Amino acid sequence: MKRQFLPSILASLLLFAAVIACTDHVVPIPEPTQLTASDLFSGLRAPIGMDKDNKGNLWVSEIGTGNNDGAVVMITPNGTKTTFASGFTSVMGPEGGAEGISHVMFHDSKLYILHGIEGKLYIADVSNFKAGDAQKSISDLIVHEYGNQVRSLGLTNPLNSNLYSMTVGPDGNIYMADAGANAIFKRNNGDGSISLFAVLPKVGTGPIVDAVPTGIVFDGSKFLVSTLSGGPFVPGSAKIFAVDMSGNVSIYKDGFTTLTHITLTANNKPLVVKLADFGAKGFAPFTGAVLNEDGTVLLGGLMMPTDIKRTGDREFYVISMPLGTIQKLTY
């Protein structure tokens, strides 16, 4: 029995060694240490958010000019832009800039469109939409109003809601970051109802201010949330928060400044975009940046970026709202 058993063990070991030999040549994707930017698209009207669908099309939300002319546009891989829907509420804010539509997300053939000013989530089946098609009427879209429910919870004083960004959780539900309520809401995928999932604590190095969540992703075990931090936007006061599936909040990384969004590398490590430095004359032009989770600048000199998305193993897209551009970042 022993002599018969020994060859089978040797055979198993040889097979295991062969498997290892076939797989040990796979080179892991390195984390970026520096990013190179190239121009991809221009001429957008205050773009705020974007996502890429399963056909390679980009979907971009445009705030517009403050004249109720917000829109969602689709850009094909060859650069053809088609307006999907327009006429979303767009108003001039108290500081002079246009405000309105928030971020978009493509998931399971549908486009999800958040509108912070209206407190609404619009949903559209875009599986058959193609370049050159006539634009859809807003009245054709499915719409859910959540702003009144958020404000009814009394999370801020004065009451506020600004549904800003979203991601799909491991349970298939959508998790929305509300930059006005400083909270994360869970949207039930079945009936569309929302519930409070997590409240973010105030932040600050000096003045204690609201967190102002701006981006949310799921890294495989937890949500990571980027924060702008409220005025006066003290350097180092913005944080990346971690939120587990029970809604418990902790600090993942801190020491950042005016973070406007977050994405994940191929290894599920966060990259964030910094809007700008803030000074006596407001946000300083071309002081935005892409940083890794340790705060290392991978690309500086950006003009107020508001979104970043990974579009390939070593490729990202970043939006500049004031310039109306999308750049491709590679390493």
Side-chain angles (χ1 to χ4, degrees):
M1 291 292 293
K2 290 183 179 179
R3 289 181 179 179
Q4 293 176 347
F5 189 57
L6 183 59
S8 64
I9 295 177
L10 291 174
S12 298
L13 290 174
L14 288 173
L15 178 61
F16 179 73
V19 171
I20 295 298
C22 291
T23 58
D24 64 2
H25 68 278
V26 177
V27 178
I29 298 169
E31 287 297 296
T33 58
Q34 186 176 12
L35 294 168
T36 300
S38 59
D39 295 336
L40 185 70
F41 200 84
S42 62
L44 298 166
R45 303 170 310 118
I48 185 78
M50 63 182 164
D51 205 358
K52 194 175 185 179
D53 68 18
N54 55 353
K55 300 176 184 177
N57 300 308
L58 269 181
W59 295 85
V60 183
S61 50
E62 297 179 313
I63 294 176
T65 65
N67 295 297
N68 290 328
D69 57 352
V72 173
V73 301
M74 184 189 77
I75 304 171
T76 63
N78 67 7
T80 301
K81 182 180 79 169
T82 301
T83 299
F84 174 72
S86 63
F88 291 96
T89 301
S90 175
V91 299
M92 296 306 294
E95 298 179 358
E99 298 178 355
I101 203 167
S102 306
H103 285 257
V104 295
M105 179 182 72
F106 176 83
H107 176 66
D108 195 22
S109 299
K110 294 182 175 62
L111 190 70
Y112 295 81
I113 307 162
L114 278 178
H115 200 298
I117 299 301
E118 296 180 350
K120 294 177 180 178
L121 171 67
Y122 294 90
I123 306 173
D125 186 333
V126 297
S127 57
N128 295 319
F129 190 81
K130 55 189 183 302
D133 282 357
Q135 64 177 280
K136 303 293 184 181
S137 170
I138 293 177
S139 61
D140 294 333
L141 310 183
I142 297 170
V143 59
H144 296 267
E145 199 284 325
Y146 297 127
N148 289 330
Q149 180 180 343
V150 172
R151 287 186 288 270
S152 73
L153 298 177
L155 299 175
T156 58
N157 185 18
L159 298 178
N160 197 1
S161 174
N162 185 0
L163 292 167
Y164 191 73
S165 63
M166 60 199 138
T167 194
V168 177
D171 53 4
N173 296 310
I174 292 176
Y175 291 77
M176 304 181 293
D178 191 309
N182 300 295
I184 309 300
F185 289 88
K186 174 182 175 180
R187 179 185 184 274
N188 185 286
N189 191 42
D191 60 14
S193 64
I194 65 167
S195 57
L196 181 62
F197 180 67
V199 176
L200 300 185
K202 290 182 180 291
V203 299
T205 54
I208 303 301
V209 296
D210 289 336
V212 190
T214 52
I216 180 169
V217 293
F218 188 76
D219 73 352
S221 63
K222 61 189 176 299
F223 295 97
L224 296 175
V225 181
S226 59
T227 60
L228 181 75
S229 79
F233 309 106
V234 175
S237 61
K239 305 180 188 301
I240 300 174
F241 285 103
V243 185
D244 67 20
M245 287 305 297
S246 297
N248 300 307
V249 180
S250 59
I251 296 174
Y252 179 77
K253 295 282 183 177
D254 58 10
F256 295 94
T257 303
T258 62
L259 299 183
T260 49
H261 219 67
I262 185 170
T263 192
L264 296 171
T265 68
N267 303 309
N268 279 343
K269 297 291 185 180
L271 293 187
V272 290
V273 281
K274 166 190 170 184
L275 181 69
D277 293 326
F278 187 79
K281 296 183 179 180
F283 290 110
F286 297 101
T287 56
V290 179
L291 308 97
N292 67 13
E293 65 174 10
D294 297 318
T296 301
V297 175
L298 307 180
L299 178 67
L302 298 181
M303 182 58 176
M304 299 181 189
T306 56
D307 200 356
I308 184 170
K309 285 287 186 299
R310 182 169 66 85
T311 51
D313 286 344
R314 299 179 184 230
E315 178 186 274
F316 304 85
Y317 289 172
V318 66
I319 275 182
S320 168
M321 183 176 69
L323 295 181
T325 60
I326 301 174
Q327 290 183 302
K328 181 168 69 174
L329 312 181
T330 56
Y331 69 99

